[in-house]
PDB file of all heavy atoms in Angstrom:
ATOM      1  N   TRP N   2      74.156  80.481  92.674  1.00  0.00           N
ATOM      2  CA  TRP N   2      74.589  81.738  92.098  1.00  0.00           C
ATOM      3  C   TRP N   2      73.510  82.644  91.673  1.00  0.00           C
ATOM      4  O   TRP N   2      73.652  83.939  91.901  1.00  0.00           O
ATOM      5  CB  TRP N   2      75.427  81.203  90.884  1.00  0.00           C
ATOM      6  CG  TRP N   2      76.441  82.304  90.291  1.00  0.00           C
ATOM      7  CD1 TRP N   2      76.273  82.977  89.143  1.00  0.00           C
ATOM      8  CD2 TRP N   2      77.523  82.792  90.945  1.00  0.00           C
ATOM      9  NE1 TRP N   2      77.286  83.927  88.943  1.00  0.00           N
ATOM     10  CE2 TRP N   2      78.054  83.873  90.044  1.00  0.00           C
ATOM     11  CE3 TRP N   2      78.199  82.612  92.204  1.00  0.00           C
ATOM     12  CZ2 TRP N   2      79.370  84.518  90.428  1.00  0.00           C
ATOM     13  CZ3 TRP N   2      79.312  83.161  92.510  1.00  0.00           C
ATOM     14  CH2 TRP N   2      79.804  84.178  91.518  1.00  0.00           C
ATOM     15  N   GLY N  15      75.944  98.005  87.542  1.00  0.00           N
ATOM     16  CA  GLY N  15      75.952  96.638  87.395  1.00  0.00           C
ATOM     17  C   GLY N  15      76.968  96.012  88.375  1.00  0.00           C
ATOM     18  O   GLY N  15      77.254  94.835  88.404  1.00  0.00           O
ATOM     19  N   TYR N  17      78.583  95.535  92.530  1.00  0.00           N
ATOM     20  CA  TYR N  17      78.085  95.169  93.877  1.00  0.00           C
ATOM     21  C   TYR N  17      78.565  96.260  94.832  1.00  0.00           C
ATOM     22  O   TYR N  17      79.545  96.799  94.866  1.00  0.00           O
ATOM     23  CB  TYR N  17      78.573  93.804  94.197  1.00  0.00           C
ATOM     24  CG  TYR N  17      77.889  92.833  93.468  1.00  0.00           C
ATOM     25  CD1 TYR N  17      78.263  92.442  92.015  1.00  0.00           C
ATOM     26  CD2 TYR N  17      76.493  92.398  93.770  1.00  0.00           C
ATOM     27  CE1 TYR N  17      77.587  91.549  91.270  1.00  0.00           C
ATOM     28  CE2 TYR N  17      75.746  91.583  92.985  1.00  0.00           C
ATOM     29  CZ  TYR N  17      76.417  91.101  91.741  1.00  0.00           C
ATOM     30  OH  TYR N  17      75.601  90.292  90.880  1.00  0.00           O
ATOM     31  N   SER N  73      81.732  93.306  99.290  1.00  0.00           N
ATOM     32  CA  SER N  73      82.414  93.685  97.943  1.00  0.00           C
ATOM     33  C   SER N  73      83.129  95.050  98.174  1.00  0.00           C
ATOM     34  O   SER N  73      82.821  95.761  99.149  1.00  0.00           O
ATOM     35  CB  SER N  73      81.196  93.804  96.885  1.00  0.00           C
ATOM     36  OG  SER N  73      80.672  95.093  97.100  1.00  0.00           O
ATOM     37  N   VAL N  74      83.880  95.412  97.220  1.00  0.00           N
ATOM     38  CA  VAL N  74      84.344  96.733  97.140  1.00  0.00           C
ATOM     39  C   VAL N  74      83.344  97.590  96.442  1.00  0.00           C
ATOM     40  O   VAL N  74      82.387  97.084  95.879  1.00  0.00           O
ATOM     41  CB  VAL N  74      85.674  96.784  96.150  1.00  0.00           C
ATOM     42  CG1 VAL N  74      86.866  96.088  96.828  1.00  0.00           C
ATOM     43  CG2 VAL N  74      85.469  96.301  94.840  1.00  0.00           C
ATOM     44  N   ASP N  76      81.129  99.013  93.737  1.00  0.00           N
ATOM     45  CA  ASP N  76      81.062  98.478  92.478  1.00  0.00           C
ATOM     46  C   ASP N  76      81.907  97.334  92.084  1.00  0.00           C
ATOM     47  O   ASP N  76      82.546  97.211  91.000  1.00  0.00           O
ATOM     48  CB  ASP N  76      81.071  99.603  91.295  1.00  0.00           C
ATOM     49  CG  ASP N  76      79.905 100.460  91.343  1.00  0.00           C
ATOM     50  OD1 ASP N  76      78.788  99.970  91.742  1.00  0.00           O
ATOM     51  OD2 ASP N  76      79.931 101.553  90.969  1.00  0.00           O
ATOM     52  N   GLY N  77      81.973  96.274  92.966  1.00  0.00           N
ATOM     53  CA  GLY N  77      82.811  95.117  92.753  1.00  0.00           C
ATOM     54  C   GLY N  77      82.217  94.218  91.842  1.00  0.00           C
ATOM     55  O   GLY N  77      80.965  94.339  91.395  1.00  0.00           O
ATOM     56  N   GLY N  78      82.828  93.092  91.558  1.00  0.00           N
ATOM     57  CA  GLY N  78      82.393  92.027  90.715  1.00  0.00           C
ATOM     58  C   GLY N  78      81.487  90.985  91.560  1.00  0.00           C
ATOM     59  O   GLY N  78      81.573  91.110  92.639  1.00  0.00           O
ATOM     60  N   ALA N  79      80.977  90.227  90.756  1.00  0.00           N
ATOM     61  CA  ALA N  79      80.083  89.014  91.454  1.00  0.00           C
ATOM     62  C   ALA N  79      81.021  87.961  91.991  1.00  0.00           C
ATOM     63  O   ALA N  79      80.473  87.204  92.901  1.00  0.00           O
ATOM     64  CB  ALA N  79      79.165  88.436  90.335  1.00  0.00           C
ATOM     65  N   PHE N  80      82.223  87.769  91.528  1.00  0.00           N
ATOM     66  CA  PHE N  80      82.965  86.579  91.870  1.00  0.00           C
ATOM     67  C   PHE N  80      83.940  86.756  93.153  1.00  0.00           C
ATOM     68  O   PHE N  80      84.125  85.723  93.911  1.00  0.00           O
ATOM     69  CB  PHE N  80      83.778  86.170  90.690  1.00  0.00           C
ATOM     70  CG  PHE N  80      82.940  85.762  89.536  1.00  0.00           C
ATOM     71  CD1 PHE N  80      82.374  86.633  88.647  1.00  0.00           C
ATOM     72  CD2 PHE N  80      82.689  84.411  89.185  1.00  0.00           C
ATOM     73  CE1 PHE N  80      81.509  86.343  87.609  1.00  0.00           C
ATOM     74  CE2 PHE N  80      81.938  84.054  88.167  1.00  0.00           C
ATOM     75  CZ  PHE N  80      81.432  85.065  87.463  1.00  0.00           C
ATOM     76  N   ASP N  81      84.452  87.997  93.282  1.00  0.00           N
ATOM     77  CA  ASP N  81      85.391  88.216  94.324  1.00  0.00           C
ATOM     78  C   ASP N  81      84.701  87.958  95.760  1.00  0.00           C
ATOM     79  O   ASP N  81      83.970  88.798  96.218  1.00  0.00           O
ATOM     80  CB  ASP N  81      86.000  89.515  94.229  1.00  0.00           C
ATOM     81  CG  ASP N  81      87.057  89.932  95.404  1.00  0.00           C
ATOM     82  OD1 ASP N  81      87.229  89.007  96.196  1.00  0.00           O
ATOM     83  OD2 ASP N  81      87.780  90.970  95.321  1.00  0.00           O
ATOM     84  N   GLY N  82      84.952  86.706  96.303  1.00  0.00           N
ATOM     85  CA  GLY N  82      84.319  86.408  97.657  1.00  0.00           C
ATOM     86  C   GLY N  82      83.307  85.315  97.431  1.00  0.00           C
ATOM     87  O   GLY N  82      83.430  84.272  97.748  1.00  0.00           O
ATOM     88  N   PRO N  83      82.133  85.832  96.800  1.00  0.00           N
ATOM     89  CA  PRO N  83      81.066  84.889  96.614  1.00  0.00           C
ATOM     90  C   PRO N  83      81.495  83.517  95.906  1.00  0.00           C
ATOM     91  O   PRO N  83      80.910  82.434  96.207  1.00  0.00           O
ATOM     92  CB  PRO N  83      79.956  85.534  95.755  1.00  0.00           C
ATOM     93  CG  PRO N  83      80.224  87.008  96.192  1.00  0.00           C
ATOM     94  CD  PRO N  83      81.767  87.053  96.407  1.00  0.00           C
ATOM     95  N   LEU N  84      82.296  83.569  94.940  1.00  0.00           N
ATOM     96  CA  LEU N  84      82.710  82.293  94.296  1.00  0.00           C
ATOM     97  C   LEU N  84      83.284  81.262  95.268  1.00  0.00           C
ATOM     98  O   LEU N  84      82.938  80.072  95.216  1.00  0.00           O
ATOM     99  CB  LEU N  84      83.846  82.508  93.163  1.00  0.00           C
ATOM    100  CG  LEU N  84      84.220  81.225  92.427  1.00  0.00           C
ATOM    101  CD1 LEU N  84      82.854  80.636  91.535  1.00  0.00           C
ATOM    102  CD2 LEU N  84      85.362  81.575  91.486  1.00  0.00           C
ATOM    103  N   GLU N 116      86.628  93.241 102.451  1.00  0.00           N
ATOM    104  CA  GLU N 116      87.273  94.279 101.579  1.00  0.00           C
ATOM    105  C   GLU N 116      87.570  95.613 102.290  1.00  0.00           C
ATOM    106  O   GLU N 116      88.305  96.383 101.809  1.00  0.00           O
ATOM    107  CB  GLU N 116      86.233  94.526 100.389  1.00  0.00           C
ATOM    108  CG  GLU N 116      86.009  93.429  99.461  1.00  0.00           C
ATOM    109  CD  GLU N 116      87.203  93.015  98.588  1.00  0.00           C
ATOM    110  OE1 GLU N 116      88.252  93.665  98.657  1.00  0.00           O
ATOM    111  OE2 GLU N 116      86.896  92.164  97.632  1.00  0.00           O
ATOM    112  N   HIS N 181      89.245  81.183  95.524  1.00  0.00           N
ATOM    113  CA  HIS N 181      88.815  82.542  95.052  1.00  0.00           C
ATOM    114  C   HIS N 181      89.133  82.699  93.590  1.00  0.00           C
ATOM    115  O   HIS N 181      89.910  81.959  92.939  1.00  0.00           O
ATOM    116  CB  HIS N 181      89.974  83.465  95.944  1.00  0.00           C
ATOM    117  CG  HIS N 181      89.546  84.920  95.965  1.00  0.00           C
ATOM    118  ND1 HIS N 181      89.587  85.792  94.865  1.00  0.00           N
ATOM    119  CD2 HIS N 181      88.990  85.540  96.944  1.00  0.00           C
ATOM    120  CE1 HIS N 181      89.193  86.954  95.299  1.00  0.00           C
ATOM    121  NE2 HIS N 181      88.703  86.737  96.628  1.00  0.00           N
ATOM    122  N   VAL N 182      88.297  83.576  93.054  1.00  0.00           N
ATOM    123  CA  VAL N 182      88.587  83.913  91.693  1.00  0.00           C
ATOM    124  C   VAL N 182      89.940  84.480  91.457  1.00  0.00           C
ATOM    125  O   VAL N 182      90.416  85.227  92.312  1.00  0.00           O
ATOM    126  CB  VAL N 182      87.417  84.833  91.041  1.00  0.00           C
ATOM    127  CG1 VAL N 182      87.619  86.254  91.670  1.00  0.00           C
ATOM    128  CG2 VAL N 182      87.548  84.868  89.468  1.00  0.00           C
ATOM    129  N   GLU N 183      90.720  84.137  90.406  1.00  0.00           N
ATOM    130  CA  GLU N 183      92.090  84.735  90.173  1.00  0.00           C
ATOM    131  C   GLU N 183      91.919  86.122  89.809  1.00  0.00           C
ATOM    132  O   GLU N 183      90.841  86.569  89.189  1.00  0.00           O
ATOM    133  CB  GLU N 183      92.784  84.069  89.084  1.00  0.00           C
ATOM    134  CG  GLU N 183      94.223  84.276  89.077  1.00  0.00           C
ATOM    135  CD  GLU N 183      94.985  84.041  87.730  1.00  0.00           C
ATOM    136  OE1 GLU N 183      94.604  83.431  86.975  1.00  0.00           O
ATOM    137  OE2 GLU N 183      96.227  84.554  87.676  1.00  0.00           O
ATOM    138  N   GLN N 184      92.869  86.961  90.374  1.00  0.00           N
ATOM    139  CA  GLN N 184      92.716  88.445  89.982  1.00  0.00           C
ATOM    140  C   GLN N 184      93.908  88.858  89.105  1.00  0.00           C
ATOM    141  O   GLN N 184      94.599  89.875  89.415  1.00  0.00           O
ATOM    142  CB  GLN N 184      92.590  89.252  91.272  1.00  0.00           C
ATOM    143  CG  GLN N 184      91.309  88.825  92.019  1.00  0.00           C
ATOM    144  CD  GLN N 184      91.212  89.220  93.478  1.00  0.00           C
ATOM    145  OE1 GLN N 184      91.962  88.742  94.271  1.00  0.00           O
ATOM    146  NE2 GLN N 184      90.171  90.167  93.835  1.00  0.00           N
ATOM    147  N   ASN N 360      90.427  83.513  85.592  1.00  0.00           N
ATOM    148  CA  ASN N 360      89.719  84.725  85.317  1.00  0.00           C
ATOM    149  C   ASN N 360      90.157  85.081  83.940  1.00  0.00           C
ATOM    150  O   ASN N 360      91.430  85.683  83.816  1.00  0.00           O
ATOM    151  CB  ASN N 360      90.150  85.805  86.470  1.00  0.00           C
ATOM    152  CG  ASN N 360      89.474  87.111  86.135  1.00  0.00           C
ATOM    153  OD1 ASN N 360      89.125  87.544  85.050  1.00  0.00           O
ATOM    154  ND2 ASN N 360      89.427  87.895  87.238  1.00  0.00           N
ATOM    155  N   PRO N 361      89.588  84.852  82.820  1.00  0.00           N
ATOM    156  CA  PRO N 361      89.992  84.923  81.442  1.00  0.00           C
ATOM    157  C   PRO N 361      90.589  86.391  81.199  1.00  0.00           C
ATOM    158  O   PRO N 361      91.643  86.570  80.539  1.00  0.00           O
ATOM    159  CB  PRO N 361      88.829  84.718  80.521  1.00  0.00           C
ATOM    160  CG  PRO N 361      87.846  84.119  81.390  1.00  0.00           C
ATOM    161  CD  PRO N 361      88.030  84.459  82.872  1.00  0.00           C
ATOM    162  N   SER N 362      89.954  87.358  81.783  1.00  0.00           N
ATOM    163  CA  SER N 362      90.524  88.866  81.394  1.00  0.00           C
ATOM    164  C   SER N 362      91.402  89.303  82.502  1.00  0.00           C
ATOM    165  O   SER N 362      92.185  90.330  82.287  1.00  0.00           O
ATOM    166  CB  SER N 362      89.312  89.715  81.308  1.00  0.00           C
ATOM    167  OG  SER N 362      88.720  89.870  82.548  1.00  0.00           O
ATOM    168  N   GLY N 363      91.311  88.778  83.658  1.00  0.00           N
ATOM    169  CA  GLY N 363      92.259  89.153  84.833  1.00  0.00           C
ATOM    170  C   GLY N 363      91.573  90.294  85.511  1.00  0.00           C
ATOM    171  O   GLY N 363      91.951  90.782  86.570  1.00  0.00           O
ATOM    172  N   VAL N 364      90.425  90.903  84.910  1.00  0.00           N
ATOM    173  CA  VAL N 364      89.900  92.045  85.555  1.00  0.00           C
ATOM    174  C   VAL N 364      89.156  91.641  86.887  1.00  0.00           C
ATOM    175  O   VAL N 364      88.355  90.669  86.987  1.00  0.00           O
ATOM    176  CB  VAL N 364      88.798  92.661  84.572  1.00  0.00           C
ATOM    177  CG1 VAL N 364      87.875  93.682  85.418  1.00  0.00           C
ATOM    178  CG2 VAL N 364      89.503  93.295  83.444  1.00  0.00           C
ATOM    179  N   SER N 365      89.314  92.429  87.922  1.00  0.00           N
ATOM    180  CA  SER N 365      88.636  92.247  89.230  1.00  0.00           C
ATOM    181  C   SER N 365      88.482  93.675  89.842  1.00  0.00           C
ATOM    182  O   SER N 365      88.949  94.678  89.538  1.00  0.00           O
ATOM    183  CB  SER N 365      89.529  91.362  90.142  1.00  0.00           C
ATOM    184  OG  SER N 365      88.898  90.955  91.179  1.00  0.00           O
ATOM    185  N   HIS N 366      87.664  93.570  91.074  1.00  0.00           N
ATOM    186  CA  HIS N 366      87.316  94.825  91.689  1.00  0.00           C
ATOM    187  C   HIS N 366      86.574  95.653  90.581  1.00  0.00           C
ATOM    188  O   HIS N 366      86.859  96.972  90.657  1.00  0.00           O
ATOM    189  CB  HIS N 366      88.426  95.565  92.378  1.00  0.00           C
ATOM    190  CG  HIS N 366      88.801  94.848  93.637  1.00  0.00           C
ATOM    191  ND1 HIS N 366      89.808  95.379  94.473  1.00  0.00           N
ATOM    192  CD2 HIS N 366      88.380  93.693  94.132  1.00  0.00           C
ATOM    193  CE1 HIS N 366      89.904  94.619  95.480  1.00  0.00           C
ATOM    194  NE2 HIS N 366      89.062  93.493  95.436  1.00  0.00           N
ATOM    195  N   SER N 367      85.734  95.195  89.827  1.00  0.00           N
ATOM    196  CA  SER N 367      85.174  95.861  88.768  1.00  0.00           C
ATOM    197  C   SER N 367      83.901  95.087  88.414  1.00  0.00           C
ATOM    198  O   SER N 367      83.886  93.805  88.432  1.00  0.00           O
ATOM    199  CB  SER N 367      86.054  95.990  87.546  1.00  0.00           C
ATOM    200  OG  SER N 367      85.369  96.062  86.277  1.00  0.00           O
ATOM    201  N   PRO N 368      82.664  95.674  87.814  1.00  0.00           N
ATOM    202  CA  PRO N 368      81.736  95.033  87.350  1.00  0.00           C
ATOM    203  C   PRO N 368      81.924  94.032  86.288  1.00  0.00           C
ATOM    204  O   PRO N 368      81.235  92.984  85.989  1.00  0.00           O
ATOM    205  CB  PRO N 368      80.644  96.028  87.017  1.00  0.00           C
ATOM    206  CG  PRO N 368      81.157  97.286  87.662  1.00  0.00           C
ATOM    207  CD  PRO N 368      82.523  97.190  87.743  1.00  0.00           C
ATOM    208  N   ALA N 369      83.111  94.253  85.691  1.00  0.00           N
ATOM    209  CA  ALA N 369      83.415  93.370  84.444  1.00  0.00           C
ATOM    210  C   ALA N 369      84.065  92.002  84.908  1.00  0.00           C
ATOM    211  O   ALA N 369      84.536  91.185  84.002  1.00  0.00           O
ATOM    212  CB  ALA N 369      84.455  94.132  83.439  1.00  0.00           C
ATOM    213  N   GLU N 370      84.401  91.886  86.115  1.00  0.00           N
ATOM    214  CA  GLU N 370      85.062  90.809  86.688  1.00  0.00           C
ATOM    215  C   GLU N 370      84.174  89.382  86.134  1.00  0.00           C
ATOM    216  O   GLU N 370      83.053  89.463  86.311  1.00  0.00           O
ATOM    217  CB  GLU N 370      84.989  90.695  88.131  1.00  0.00           C
ATOM    218  CG  GLU N 370      85.712  89.599  88.914  1.00  0.00           C
ATOM    219  CD  GLU N 370      85.468  89.753  90.439  1.00  0.00           C
ATOM    220  OE1 GLU N 370      84.408  89.511  90.953  1.00  0.00           O
ATOM    221  OE2 GLU N 370      86.467  90.274  91.042  1.00  0.00           O
ATOM    222  N   HIS N 371      84.900  88.427  85.750  1.00  0.00           N
ATOM    223  CA  HIS N 371      84.213  87.252  85.088  1.00  0.00           C
ATOM    224  C   HIS N 371      85.017  85.969  85.225  1.00  0.00           C
ATOM    225  O   HIS N 371      86.284  86.027  85.285  1.00  0.00           O
ATOM    226  CB  HIS N 371      83.858  87.478  83.706  1.00  0.00           C
ATOM    227  CG  HIS N 371      83.165  86.348  83.045  1.00  0.00           C
ATOM    228  ND1 HIS N 371      81.825  86.143  83.298  1.00  0.00           N
ATOM    229  CD2 HIS N 371      83.529  85.453  82.146  1.00  0.00           C
ATOM    230  CE1 HIS N 371      81.460  84.992  82.615  1.00  0.00           C
ATOM    231  NE2 HIS N 371      82.444  84.549  81.927  1.00  0.00           N
ATOM    232  N   ALA N 372      84.326  84.875  85.444  1.00  0.00           N
ATOM    233  CA  ALA N 372      84.899  83.567  85.347  1.00  0.00           C
ATOM    234  C   ALA N 372      83.941  82.664  84.592  1.00  0.00           C
ATOM    235  O   ALA N 372      82.725  82.843  84.658  1.00  0.00           O
ATOM    236  CB  ALA N 372      85.224  83.086  86.593  1.00  0.00           C
ATOM    237  N   GLU N 373      84.477  81.729  83.813  1.00  0.00           N
ATOM    238  CA  GLU N 373      83.592  80.880  83.012  1.00  0.00           C
ATOM    239  C   GLU N 373      82.993  79.804  83.749  1.00  0.00           C
ATOM    240  O   GLU N 373      83.601  79.286  84.714  1.00  0.00           O
ATOM    241  CB  GLU N 373      84.347  80.219  81.874  1.00  0.00           C
ATOM    242  CG  GLU N 373      84.981  81.256  80.864  1.00  0.00           C
ATOM    243  CD  GLU N 373      83.812  81.740  79.956  1.00  0.00           C
ATOM    244  OE1 GLU N 373      82.661  81.284  79.929  1.00  0.00           O
ATOM    245  OE2 GLU N 373      84.190  83.009  79.439  1.00  0.00           O
TER     246      GLU N 373
END
Side-chain angles (χ1 to χ4, degrees):
W2 197 250
Y17 289 87
S73 77
V74 295
D76 281 338
F80 295 81
D81 179 354
L84 183 65
E116 298 288 7
H181 205 278
V182 68
E183 196 199 348
Q184 297 167 296
N360 175 340
S362 68
V364 171
S365 187
H366 285 186
S367 149
E370 182 182 80
H371 179 72
E373 296 293 335

